[in-house]
Structures are given as C-alpha cells and as structure tokens.
Amino acid sequence: MNADKVLDAKGLACPMPIVKTKKAINDLQSGQVLEVHATDKGAKADLTAWAKSSGNELLNHEEENNVLKFWIKKG
Amino acid sequence: MTEQKKKTTIILFSGDYDKAMAAYIIANGAAAYDHEVTIFHTFWGLNALRKDEPLTLNKGFLEKMFAKMMPRGADKMGLSKMNFAGMGPKMIKQVIKKHNAMTLPQLIEMAQEQEVKLIACTMTMDLLGLQQEELLDGIDYAGVAAYLGDAEDGNVNLFI
C-alpha cells in the first residue's frame, strides 16, 4: 500500500505512538495516507480508537516480525 | 473537522510520581485526541510544577519548612507504593529507561509542547507557601471557579 509519509514509532511506549501520529497527520493534506510502524502492544487498540474518534480512517493494519504497521488516511 | 473541540480536565491532587505520571500520560493522550486539556494542580500535585533549583524567597518559618519537606520538582517526587525511602523512584526510573517510556519531567515538557493548559490552584499555593517564582514558566493561576468553568462542559473529568 502506498503512503505519503512513513512514521517510525518503533520502540516508543505509550503515549508516544499516538502523540507522534497526531503530529504527523497534522502535516498531511486531507486524503493523504500515513504509514505508522510501532512495537507497543497497545498500539493496535490505541490507533484504531484514535482514528475513529479523530475523523481519520484506518485503512489497514498488519503485523510483520513483531512490528505493527498501520495505514491511516487523513479525513 | 469538528465545530467545537472536546475537553478533558484533570485534577492532580496527588504528589506521587506514579500518579502524576498517569495524569500526564492521559493528558498527552487527550491532547493527541485533539481535546482541549487542562490539568488543575492542587495540594501535593503542585510539587510537580516546582522548578528544581533552590530559590531564596521571602517566606515565614512554616512556609520554609514546607518548602524543605516537599519534593522540589517532578523528578524528586516519591512513589505511592514501594517508595522504600527513595529507592523505589530510582528503580522505576531505570525501568522507564529500559522500556523506552517517558519520565515525568519529559511528560510534563511534552504536555506543554502540546499546549495542555497547566493550572496551579492559588489557594493551596498559599497554604503550602509556594510562590509563582518557584513554579514552572508558562503556567496559569486560578481557583475552583475556573476549573469548574472548564469541567462543566468537559467530556472527560478525572481526579487523581
């Protein structure tokens, strides 16, 4: 999946993945896609809830070698 | 996107490192949720806002005693459990480092960066003998009415 920007949040603990995602999304235009890499186990629940509440769309997520990857489209 | 921002208000009453950490993690999370966030510091929670350097200020005997006995700044606060006369905080800071989590002073800095409104309760500042010069720059000073004004249309209200 193509992303306009990639955010490396690997190794960061709560609440940093969500704080960094918010900052990265702010720099994007509506409709652009942000790819987030995280290793925090709570990131899946956190980013899913955050995307829903903040009006952005979680397009897809997958896990690869213990790295959680997310694609979020800015609303 | 949304017409009016949602609000989170937190009262930080506790002067414990762990409880203050929880408060500031929630505050930073809420700021990332694009909430307008206020942390109202009262009683022992005020110590999280103290600068860590010693200042010579004009104070009475009791105020000086209080200033000496209370932790000077977030980094010097103790734990609510397993404090072990100061060993506990040392251990938890090692664990924080190991897990790449953020320390309380870092969380406070991040909150300020995210424009979380930090308020010091002026009435309890008087009781504990704390003066504005001793507290961090860029914070607000207010009383219960200002807090309620924020909290009455708040979506998340916490007392920690």
Side-chain angles (χ1 to χ4, degrees):
Chain A
M1 192 172 283
N2 286 326
D4 297 286
K5 190 175 178 177
V6 179
L7 170 68
D8 181 7
K10 292 195 290 290
L12 298 177
C14 176
M16 288 318 290
I18 213 85
V19 170
K20 295 245 179 194
T21 303
K22 160 82 164 50
K23 279 188 181 162
I25 278 276
N26 278 351
D27 297 337
L28 292 182
Q29 305 292 326
S30 182
Q32 288 189 308
V33 175
L34 175 71
E35 183 177 335
V36 183
H37 298 178
T39 48
D40 176 25
K41 296 282 179 291
K44 192 179 154 203
D46 273 8
L47 280 169
T48 307
W50 177 81
K52 197 175 155 203
S53 167
S54 59
N56 300 295
E57 191 188 347
L58 182 62
L59 298 173
N60 193 18
H61 64 85
E62 61 182 46
E63 191 174 342
E64 196 183 299
N65 303 324
N66 291 323
V67 177
L68 296 156
K69 294 183 177 179
F70 303 87
W71 288 269
I72 301 164
K73 188 168 149 191
K74 181 163 180 174
Chain B
M1 198 168 5
T2 43
E3 50 302 334
Q4 177 132 42
K5 279 191 176 186
K6 290 188 174 171
K7 278 191 182 181
T8 291
T9 54
I10 300 170
I11 301 177
L12 182 59
F13 178 95
S14 168
D16 295 324
Y17 191 96
D18 42 356
K19 292 188 182 180
M21 240 181 109
Y24 271 90
I25 287 174
I26 297 166
N28 277 301
Y33 257 77
D34 225 6
H35 286 197
E36 210 180 290
V37 190
T38 303
I39 309 180
F40 187 82
H41 300 73
T42 187
F43 277 93
W44 320 111
L46 285 168
N47 289 316
L49 297 176
R50 285 177 87 187
K51 292 174 182 159
D52 55 11
E53 77 261 30
L55 293 165
T56 35
L57 294 162
N58 192 17
K59 285 190 184 189
F61 176 72
L62 272 176
E63 281 84 14
K64 273 187 192 153
M65 289 292 285
F66 263 90
K68 271 226 153 36
M69 288 189 293
M70 295 189 301
R72 200 167 57 220
D75 196 46
K76 300 205 178 68
M77 285 157 65
L79 292 179
S80 65
K81 294 271 187 319
M82 307 206 309
N83 193 48
F84 303 138
M87 273 306 288
K90 285 206 175 73
M91 289 193 281
I92 205 131
K93 281 167 204 167
Q94 271 187 18
V95 180
I96 287 171
K97 209 171 171 184
K98 186 178 152 202
H99 290 277
N100 215 3
M102 290 175 86
T103 62
L104 184 55
Q106 286 172 326
L107 285 165
I108 295 174
E109 207 184 304
M110 175 65 60
Q112 286 190 303
E113 210 176 289
Q114 293 207 87
E115 292 173 5
V116 170
K117 198 158 74 173
L118 305 182
I119 299 183
C121 162
T122 50
M123 191 280 279
T124 40
M125 277 174 68
D126 287 345
L127 290 188
L128 303 181
L130 293 170
Q131 299 177 10
Q132 297 198 2
E133 291 78 14
E134 297 173 78
L135 303 185
L136 299 178
D137 300 323
I139 64 170
D140 294 327
Y141 297 89
V144 67
Y147 162 71
L148 288 169
D150 278 336
E152 71 176 354
D153 49 9
N155 305 80
V156 180
N157 290 312
L158 297 171
F159 184 97
I160 298 176

